[in-house]
Amino acid sequence: MTGGSNGQDARQKDDGGRRVIEQRGLYFDELEEGVVYAHRPGRTVTEADNVLFTTLTMNTQALHLDAAWSAAQPFGQRLVNSMFTLATVVGQSVTQLTQGTIIAQLGLTDVSFPHPLYHGDTLYTETVIAGKRLSESRPGQGIVTMQHTGRNQDGTVVALATRSCLMWTREAHRRQSGSGQERIPV
């Protein structure tokens, strides 16, 4: 018996004979084209997040670091680093879609930031599976195209990205692990 398409497998037992349900992403075979996967909770972005990410990545752009200079620019305040926004949008999808079921990220395309994200905004992400196909050269694996949309707390779109990933099918992952059961750490 399995947990179905909720991203959990309930066939494992602990030492006391109790069922163990491990959190994981969805397998290639469980992902549905056209479905909207809403990733929650949201992530409220702080000034510290923005300054730390910006300085860690050696991005000296004053729009992210200099409040006085940014106040005189068109948006009137510092902007959250768009690479932080992109990383968070992708990151918010991991638990629900790809945790332990992805083999590799293949690429990101069509990335855009139609509206800035500001300190104190909360970022919510949704993903639509735009397409999927089994790999011709890698049996038991498939390529999935995901369209991520990040919105702020008001529903304004702040980030868009199309992402392609190489994903396991459930059965191939079980065979690869050798145990007949996937065992994915959380």
Side-chain angles (χ1 to χ4, degrees):
M1 126 178 45
T2 64
S5 63
N6 67 353
Q8 299 176 351
D9 188 14
R11 295 178 307 119
Q12 299 164 7
K13 302 280 185 179
D14 72 0
D15 291 340
R18 295 172 297 200
R19 284 187 341 175
V20 174
I21 298 175
E22 280 191 29
Q23 184 173 326
R24 65 161 170 83
L26 299 175
Y27 285 106
F28 175 86
D29 3 12
E30 296 172 314
L31 292 166
E32 297 180 44
E33 287 185 58
V35 170
V36 176
Y37 295 90
H39 313 300
R40 300 297 184 265
R43 173 66 157 78
T44 301
V45 179
T46 67
E47 177 181 11
D49 295 327
N50 189 42
V51 170
L52 180 61
F53 182 89
T54 298
T55 56
L56 281 173
T57 57
M58 298 179 66
N59 180 341
T60 60
Q61 177 52 252
L63 276 171
H64 307 311
L65 299 173
D66 187 330
W69 184 83
S70 296
Q73 299 308 304
F75 291 106
Q77 61 181 303
R78 286 173 292 166
L79 309 179
V80 171
N81 187 313
S82 59
M83 295 296 99
F84 177 87
T85 303
L86 177 61
T88 305
V89 163
V90 170
Q92 286 181 309
S93 74
V94 168
T95 303
Q96 189 175 18
L97 298 180
T98 63
Q99 180 67 45
T101 57
I102 190 174
I103 298 161
Q105 177 165 285
L106 301 176
L108 289 161
T109 61
D110 305 317
V111 176
S112 64
F113 305 98
H115 188 275
L117 194 64
Y118 301 111
H119 301 156
D121 281 350
T122 301
L123 181 60
Y124 296 95
T125 299
E126 297 174 348
T127 301
V128 174
I129 305 303
K132 62 184 229 177
R133 68 171 178 81
L134 288 169
S135 172
E136 295 175 12
S137 61
R138 300 178 68 100
Q141 300 173 12
I143 298 168
V144 178
T145 302
M146 303 175 184
Q147 293 176 330
H148 299 296
T149 302
R151 300 176 193 276
N152 68 14
Q153 66 281 352
D154 299 321
T156 303
V157 174
V158 297
L160 297 164
T162 300
R163 177 176 174 225
S164 58
C165 300
L166 187 62
M167 304 285 295
W168 284 109
T169 63
R170 178 191 292 266
E171 189 55 37
H173 197 218
R174 284 189 181 145
R175 282 194 311 268
Q176 183 271 343
S177 71
S179 69
Q181 297 181 24
E182 65 269 13
R183 185 92 179 141
I184 302 158
V186 282

